[in-house]
Amino acid sequence: MSQTTSIARPAAKEQTIAKNRRPDRQIKFSGVIAMIFLGISTLYFVVPFLWLLISSTKNAGDLFGTFGLWFAPHFNLFANLQELFTYDNSVYLQWLLNSFIYAGIGSIIAMFLSSLAGYALAK
């Protein structure tokens, strides 16, 4: 009796490994242009947000007397927040509450209508 054993051929194994490897990626000009465009777009949207955060830490004199995208020598965030919340008998808190109410009611109505539309489309 002869016993036969199956031995995997190295060539077949190498072919399988070669198929699983990704080809070398080449940098495409269109991909570089797309990444530059995305980087510029990111800066376009992030810089005003950073300016807003940094400006909230300045007093009125530092706001117009220092560079806009760098902090002033005096950190006035907490004084500015105190002035905001105590302005005109705390009217800002009423405005903030109104915003939350309008946004909350609007989102609940939109969710209700979207679920009705989703049910109608599903049926």
Side-chain angles (χ1 to χ4, degrees):
M1 279 188 118
S2 70
Q3 293 180 343
T4 59
T5 58
S6 63
I7 299 173
R9 291 186 279 157
K13 191 174 187 180
E14 289 174 7
Q15 288 176 352
T16 305
I17 292 172
K19 287 181 184 177
N20 291 336
R21 287 186 190 157
R22 287 192 219 167
D24 293 333
R25 291 188 177 185
Q26 296 177 355
I27 298 174
K28 295 181 181 177
F29 183 69
S30 61
V32 172
I33 296 296
M35 291 305 288
I36 290 172
F37 176 74
L38 289 173
I40 291 171
S41 297
T42 301
L43 286 175
Y44 180 77
F45 288 104
V46 169
V47 168
F49 181 70
L50 289 175
W51 178 82
L52 181 69
L53 290 176
I54 292 170
S55 295
S56 68
T57 64
K58 299 178 180 182
N59 61 15
D62 289 336
L63 184 61
F64 298 108
T66 59
F67 179 63
L69 292 175
W70 197 250
F71 295 98
H74 308 288
F75 188 78
N76 292 319
L77 176 66
F78 301 113
N80 291 341
L81 289 175
Q82 180 183 8
E83 185 178 343
L84 174 69
F85 285 112
T86 58
Y87 176 76
D88 199 15
N89 293 325
S90 302
V91 72
Y92 180 74
L93 291 175
Q94 182 64 40
W95 295 341
L96 190 63
L97 179 64
N98 287 345
S99 297
F100 282 130
I101 289 171
Y102 282 115
I105 290 173
S107 63
I108 288 171
I109 291 171
M111 182 179 60
F112 178 71
L113 292 175
S114 297
S115 64
L116 290 177
Y119 179 77
L121 290 173
K123 292 296 174 179

